[in-house]
Amino acid sequence: MRDKLVKLLENSYSPYSHFRVASIAVMKDGREFGGVNVENASYGASICAERSAILSAISAGYKRYDFETLYVMCDNDKIGMSCFVCRMVISEMFEPDKKIIAMNPNGDEEVHTVSELCPYPFGEEDLQ
């Protein structure tokens, strides 16, 4: 997966931050969807790699809880964690025990469950 993510980093559009991020969502049936961060001069119109990958899967017809694992890679020595907007989407689409694997190109990685990254999720039950 690491090699796929390194290659995917090349597709990042990050002319403002120069912080490239790639993500691959792996579905329960094994299909993979890649995503990269896409920036915009209006930062609010940017999208993170994690949401890009997840939304690609949803656009292809997958549904909530069809997700198995999410891989995320930043293009530096640090292991970056998903922002809180991405964590909100992750907690909506992934079951709490699914793995989020954050890594860097050097071979370092951290593995967390969705419930570890999102210990107090906001969900549909909060809207009632």
Side-chain angles (χ1 to χ4, degrees), residues 16 28 32 58 73 80-81 84 87 98 101 109 124:
Y16 306 103
K28 288 181 178 177
E32 299 176 358
I58 297 296
M73 178 182 283
M81 287 295 134
F84 281 88
R87 291 181 196 201
K98 297 304 177 190
I101 302 171
E109 68 179 46
E124 60 186 294

Side-chain angles (χ1 to χ4, degrees), residues 35-96:
V36 296
N37 59 321
V38 179
E39 295 180 350
N40 188 280
S42 167
Y43 276 100
S46 299
I47 187 166
C48 299
E50 297 93 324
R51 285 181 286 140
S52 178
I54 292 167
L55 298 178
S56 291
I58 297 296
S59 295
Y62 286 89
K63 306 288 185 222
R64 182 180 195 194
Y65 300 154
D66 286 344
F67 296 85
E68 184 62 36
T69 309
L70 185 69
Y71 293 86
V72 182
M73 178 182 283
C74 301
D75 69 345
N76 60 33
D77 292 337
K78 289 186 176 183
I79 296 175
M81 287 295 134
S82 300
C83 76
F84 281 88
V85 174
C86 287
R87 291 181 196 201
M88 182 66 209
V89 174
I90 291 166
S91 71
E92 178 89 10
M93 296 297 160
F94 285 72
E95 293 162 296

